[in-house]
Amino acid sequence: MPKITTVANNFTTGEISPKMRARMDVARYNSGVELMENAWPEIQGGFVKRWGTLYRGATKHADKLGRLVRFVVNRTDAYWLEFGDLYMRVHKISGRVETSPGVAYEISTPYTEAMLSQLDFSQGADTLIIWSPDNSPRRLRRFADARWVLDLAPFDPAPFAEVGSRFNVALTLGSAAVGTGVSVGAASSVFLASDIGRQIWAGAGVATITAVASGTSATADISVAFDGTAIAGNAWTLALSPQTTCTPSATGPVGAAITLTLGAAGWRASDVGSHVQINTGLVEITAYSSDTVVTGTVSVALNTTVAAPANAWTLSPPAWNDFDGYPATGTFHAQRLLAAGSRSFPQTAWGSAVGEFFNFQLGTLDTDAFAFELVSDDVSPITYMISMESLVALSFSGEFTIDGGVEKPITPTNVRAKPRSTRGCAQVRPVKVGAETLFVQRTGKRVRAASFQEAADAWGVPDMSVISDHLTSPGVVGLTWHEEPGTLLFALRADGRIASCTYDRDQDVVGWARQTFAGGVVESAATIPDEDQDRTMLLVRRTIDGATVRYLELMDPETYTDCAIKGTAGSPTATWAGLDHLEGETVSIRADDIPQPPEVVTGGEITLARTASTVEIGLPLTMRVKLLPPEVSGGAGVVKGSAVSVNQVFVEVLNTIGLTIDGQKVAFRQFGEDVLDTPLEPFTGIKEVQSYGWEISGGTVEITHDDPLPCNVLAVVRKVSVNEG
C-alpha cells in the first residue's frame, strides 16, 4: 500500500472537458481541474475567486432585452452605451449620465428590441457608425457627456448599382410557364415605353418585356418559369436600365446642374437619388420633371453631350435600400471605411475613398472608393469585417484576408482576397486580443483565434475551447475582452452563464472556467478602460420579489458578493437601507470586514446582528473548485483504477480569508485577547486538513469558499494511499 505525495501548483488549463478526463498523457491534463465555478486561473498558475458585482441601476425596460456597447475616446472619456427598444442611455464609470438628479439622459433610436442583436459598430474618434441590416447606417456623435447626436451617416455618395426598379404593385401573368407573348397585368399603372427590353425578375422566374400597351398592361416572353401567375407587390424587380437613348444637356463642370432627356418615357419620380453613368461621366438625379426629363448634378464630368444609346448608359439606384438591405458590418481600415454583408449583396464589400469615410463614389485611382465580391466555392455572406495587419472578412462559411498584394494597400484595381479557412463565423461580434481576433465559430459552440502565425508562415484559426468544449457547448452569444487585471475573455452563453477564459498566448495560458450569478441571467456585457484597469459591466436579468428585473452590474475586484451595495456610516449602525433592488432576497453581509449572518431584505433594508460602520451587502457568491484525481505511476502501473485514500491535504494560499476543503472548514482566526470582534487579516501560507476514505480512482479534493471575503489558492498538496491490490 504505497503512499504518494502529489502537488498541483498549475491550474492554467482551468476546467477540462469530461471527454478529457482519461487523457493523463496530455500535458494540459496536469494543469486542469474537474470543476472551476466562480473562480478563474491566474497566469502565474494559481486560481482566484471571481470578482463580485456592484449594483449600478436598472435598465429602462425590465421586460425587454437591452445591449451594452463600449465607446472609448480616452481613459477619462469612456462610456457604456445602453441600447434598448428605440432608445439609448449613457453610463460612465462614475455612474449613469443624467440631465438632472434621477433623470437619465436618453436619445431616441430606430432600433427595436428585435434588432439589437444584429447591430455592429465601427468607432473613429468621437463618432460611432452603427450598422444594421434593416436600417440605413447611422452616425452617433458625442459632443459632451449629456449631448449625443444620432443621424443618418452623410454618405456622398452612398454605393450604387444597377439593381433595377421595384414597385409595391401586384402583377398577374397570363402563364407562369416558359413561352412567348405572355400577358402581364399590373394592379396599377407601372409600365413605361422604355421598359420594352427590360426584364421582370421574381423568384427564379425571368421574363423580357416585348410590348407595353398601357401603364397596366404589357406583353413578355418568359425564359425561366415563375412559381405562379400571381406576383405580390415588392416581390418582383424591373431589371436593367431604361431601353432608350439618354441625352445630357452639358458635360459639366463637376457640381453643375444638367438635364438628362430620354428618347421614350422611362424616368420615374423614385429615380431621384439614383446615379446615371453616361459618356464616361456620372450624374446624380436631383429632381424629376417628367417621364422623359430629369435634372441632375454632375459628379464626374462627361466627355460629350452625344445621345447615349440603350445599354450604353446605366441607371443605378442606391445599392443600400429597404429592399436590398443595408450593410450588416463595417470597420475602419487603412484610412477607409469598409462596409459589407447586405441582404442582396451578402458577399460584397465596399470601401470608401482614402480619408473620405463617407465617399463611396467608385473610381480607378488608388485613392478612389472600390467594391469587390468574395469568390469561393461556398456561399459566403460576410458576417464581420476586422482590421488587422490585413483586412479580415469573417463569413458564414469561411475566413478571408483581403489586401492589395505583398505589402501593398487595397486599391480599386488591386484587390486580393484569399480564403484562409472554412470554419465560418457566428453572428457574435469578435474581439481583438493583441495580434489575434477571437471569434465564435459558425455553430456558436467554439471560440477560435484568427492570426498570422509566423512560425508556419500562414494564417491559422486554432480552436481555443477544444480542451474545455463543454463550457461553450450551450452556445456563445457574446464576447468581451478584459485586459487588466486578469487578461480575461468573457464568453456569454445562451443559458445566461459566462464561460471565462484566462488568455495569454505568450505564456501558453488558455484556462476556462464557469461563472454563475446567483440565479441571474447575463444578457450582455461590455468592457471599457479605467485609469489603471479595465471595467466590465454586465446586463443581468433576475427575478426579484416575484418580478422580472434587468440590472446593470459592475464587476469589481474589491467586491465579494453579487448585485451589491457598499455603505459607510459616521458611527456604527445596525439598520442599512438602499436595498430595494433586492427586496425579499436573502443577502450575504460583510460588515467592518467581518462576515455577519445572512439577512432577508424587507422594506428595502436589513438590520445587522451587530452594528458596523462599513458594509457590503449583496447576493451570495460561492466558489467551487474540484481537483482531478491524482495520476502518478505506482509499483504495478498507473493509479487509475486503484482504490485511493486522501490522508492529508495542504493548501497554500495568498491573501485569503476562509476556506472549506472537502466539507471541512479551515480555521483562519487565531485565538487570543480582544481578537473575536476584530477583522481577520488576510492569510498567506499553508493550511492543512485531514481527509479519509477509500474510493476507486479517487483522490479528488473539493475547495469551496462562500464567505464575502478574498480567496487565492496557489497550490494543493495531497498525501494519498494507493491500494494496488
Side-chain angles (χ1 to χ4, degrees):
M1 187 182 296
K3 293 186 177 180
I4 301 170
T5 299
T6 68
V7 60
N9 57 4
N10 180 1
F11 304 95
T12 54
T13 295
E15 183 177 326
I16 68 170
S17 169
K19 302 172 187 175
M20 294 286 299
R21 291 185 188 163
R23 292 299 308 275
M24 293 80 70
D25 57 316
V26 176
R28 288 191 179 275
Y29 177 93
N30 293 314
S31 57
V33 298
E34 183 176 319
L35 172 72
M36 185 172 286
E37 181 178 1
N38 289 334
W40 49 61
E42 294 198 292
I43 294 173
Q44 294 81 0
F47 62 85
V48 63
K49 186 177 183 179
R50 80 152 167 88
W51 314 319
T53 66
L54 290 169
Y55 173 70
R56 296 297 294 270
T59 63
K60 180 178 180 179
H61 298 302
D63 59 341
K64 294 182 179 181
L65 293 170
R67 181 174 176 182
L68 294 173
V69 176
R70 64 179 262 140
F71 186 97
V72 179
V73 180
N74 51 52
R75 287 192 173 271
T76 58
D77 289 312
Y79 304 86
W80 292 283
L81 306 181
E82 174 196 332
F83 281 87
D85 188 43
L86 304 176
Y87 79 93
M88 186 199 82
R89 289 180 171 180
V90 181
H91 303 264
K92 297 189 73 173
I93 292 167
S94 58
R96 186 178 70 181
V97 175
E98 298 181 340
T99 55
S100 59
V103 179
Y105 173 75
E106 180 178 309
I107 65 172
S108 299
T109 78
Y111 308 117
T112 65
E113 178 186 18
M115 296 176 183
L116 297 180
S117 64
Q118 296 182 318
L119 300 182
D120 193 23
F121 306 88
S122 305
Q123 186 184 348
D126 272 12
T127 299
L128 190 73
I129 306 299
I130 305 177
W131 310 98
S132 167
D134 300 311
N135 279 272
S136 181
R138 278 170 167 76
R139 175 182 63 175
L140 177 67
R141 290 175 292 169
R142 162 203 172 267
F143 296 95
D145 286 353
R147 186 179 172 219
W148 298 68
V149 176
L150 180 68
D151 57 9
L152 291 172
F155 296 114
D156 186 23
F160 48 86
E162 192 182 10
V163 295
S165 305
R166 299 175 181 88
F167 311 93
N168 188 18
V169 175
L171 296 183
T172 302
L173 304 179
S175 170
V178 173
T180 61
V182 177
S183 64
V184 182
S188 60
S189 183
V190 68
F191 298 120
L192 296 173
S194 64
D195 293 339
I196 297 173
R198 300 181 76 177
Q199 294 180 336
I200 296 172
W201 295 352
V206 177
T208 301
I209 298 175
T210 57
V212 173
S214 68
T216 59
S217 177
T219 303
D221 294 343
I222 298 178
S223 55
V224 180
F226 291 84
D227 294 335
T229 58
I231 304 175
N234 290 327
W236 60 283
T237 299
L238 183 61
L240 308 179
S241 299
Q243 299 294 288
T244 187
T245 59
C246 182
T247 305
S249 63
T251 59
V254 172
I258 66 172
T259 60
L260 298 172
T261 303
L262 298 184
W267 296 129
R268 295 174 170 88
S270 58
D271 292 331
V272 173
S274 296
H275 286 76
V276 175
Q277 293 171 292
I278 181 172
N279 297 346
T280 71
L282 183 68
V283 180
E284 180 181 1
I285 299 175
T286 56
Y288 169 83
S289 298
S290 69
D291 56 16
T292 58
V293 179
V294 294
T295 300
T297 300
V298 177
S299 299
V300 176
L302 289 65
N303 63 1
T304 180
T305 58
V306 171
N311 297 319
W313 64 279
T314 60
L315 174 65
S316 299
W320 303 343
N321 54 68
D322 290 345
F323 185 91
D324 294 297
Y326 299 92
T329 185
T331 189
F332 290 97
H333 179 78
Q335 298 300 307
R336 298 181 189 267
L337 177 62
L338 279 295
S342 67
R343 185 163 50 247
S344 292
F345 302 95
Q347 296 180 215
T348 298
W350 295 270
S352 73
V354 172
E356 299 180 64
F357 298 130
F358 299 111
N359 178 3
F360 282 82
Q361 182 173 302
L362 302 181
T364 57
L365 298 177
D366 286 356
T367 56
D368 285 342
F370 60 81
F372 65 88
E373 185 174 3
L374 292 182
V375 179
S376 67
D377 293 336
D378 298 319
V379 176
S380 300
I382 298 172
T383 310
Y384 291 101
M385 302 281 283
I386 306 295
S387 177
M388 298 178 66
E389 181 179 356
S390 297
L391 179 65
V392 177
L394 303 176
S395 78
F396 178 78
S397 61
E399 292 70 56
F400 299 78
T401 58
I402 303 163
D403 52 41
V406 179
E407 297 184 355
K408 293 182 179 179
I410 304 171
T411 69
T413 58
N414 190 21
V415 179
R416 184 179 67 171
K418 286 188 174 182
R420 296 298 183 177
S421 82
T422 57
R423 305 300 183 180
C425 178
Q427 189 153 359
V428 177
R429 181 173 170 80
V431 295
K432 289 196 287 188
V433 179
E436 296 181 309
T437 292
L438 300 182
F439 69 95
V440 180
Q441 191 174 322
R442 177 176 62 244
T443 60
K445 298 183 178 183
R446 296 180 183 275
V447 176
R448 292 187 174 271
S451 67
F452 182 79
Q453 300 175 351
E454 294 184 3
D457 193 29
W459 279 78
V461 286
D463 184 356
M464 296 291 99
S465 53
V466 63
I467 301 296
S468 308
D469 62 354
H470 66 302
L471 292 181
T472 55
S473 63
V476 176
V477 297
L479 296 175
T480 189
W481 172 251
H482 188 109
E483 178 72 30
E484 180 64 35
T487 61
L488 289 159
L489 175 73
F490 294 126
L492 280 63
R493 305 194 324 190
D495 62 2
R497 298 184 177 185
I498 287 180
S500 69
C501 182
T502 305
Y503 191 84
D504 190 320
R505 297 269 270 164
D506 293 337
Q507 303 300 324
D508 195 28
V509 174
V510 182
W512 290 88
R514 65 179 73 197
Q515 314 303 329
T516 59
F517 293 85
V521 174
V522 181
E523 295 181 335
S524 184
T527 304
I528 64 174
D530 198 355
E531 290 291 339
D532 59 353
Q533 63 179 312
D534 286 348
R535 308 303 296 266
T536 296
M537 185 81 83
L538 308 178
L539 194 163
V540 186
R541 187 182 81 240
R542 298 185 180 277
T543 300
I544 302 294
D545 200 25
T548 297
V549 297
R550 283 180 166 88
Y551 292 155
L552 298 181
E553 302 182 26
L554 180 65
M555 298 189 77
D556 180 60
E558 302 300 322
T559 299
Y560 306 100
T561 58
D562 281 340
C563 203
I565 66 164
K566 293 184 177 181
T568 301
S571 59
T573 301
T575 300
W576 292 83
L579 292 163
D580 301 80
H581 67 291
L582 294 178
E583 183 68 26
E585 297 295 311
T586 300
V587 292
S588 186
I589 302 165
R590 184 185 189 197
D592 290 340
D593 293 327
I594 302 172
Q596 288 204 19
E599 300 287 348
V600 176
V601 177
T602 304
E605 62 184 28
I606 62 168
T607 300
L608 303 182
R610 296 190 304 275
T611 60
S613 298
T614 63
V615 294
E616 175 191 323
I617 305 168
L619 298 172
L621 168 56
T622 299
M623 179 194 82
R624 294 177 60 218
V625 177
K626 187 175 183 180
L627 275 59
L628 291 162
E631 185 50 52
V632 294
S633 296
V638 298
V639 171
K640 195 172 186 68
S642 301
V644 178
S645 175
V646 178
N647 304 316
Q648 288 178 294
V649 178
F650 300 88
V651 179
E652 184 170 359
V653 297
L654 173 68
N655 296 328
T656 293
I657 307 173
L659 206 63
T660 299
I661 302 174
D662 284 340
Q664 299 183 46
K665 195 78 172 178
V666 178
F668 277 77
R669 184 175 292 283
Q670 301 295 321
F671 291 98
E673 187 175 354
D674 298 327
V675 299
L676 292 180
D677 291 327
T678 61
L680 284 170
E681 291 295 326
F683 176 80
T684 297
I686 296 176
K687 291 291 184 178
E688 173 192 357
V689 297
Q690 303 288 328
S691 186
Y692 304 94
W694 293 90
E695 184 179 356
I696 299 298
S697 299
T700 62
V701 170
E702 183 168 338
I703 299 171
T704 59
H705 189 279
D706 56 8
D707 292 325
L709 297 167
C711 179
N712 190 344
V713 175
L714 303 180
V716 179
V717 176
R718 286 172 284 188
K719 291 190 175 183
V720 301
S721 297
V722 180
N723 186 344
E724 296 180 342

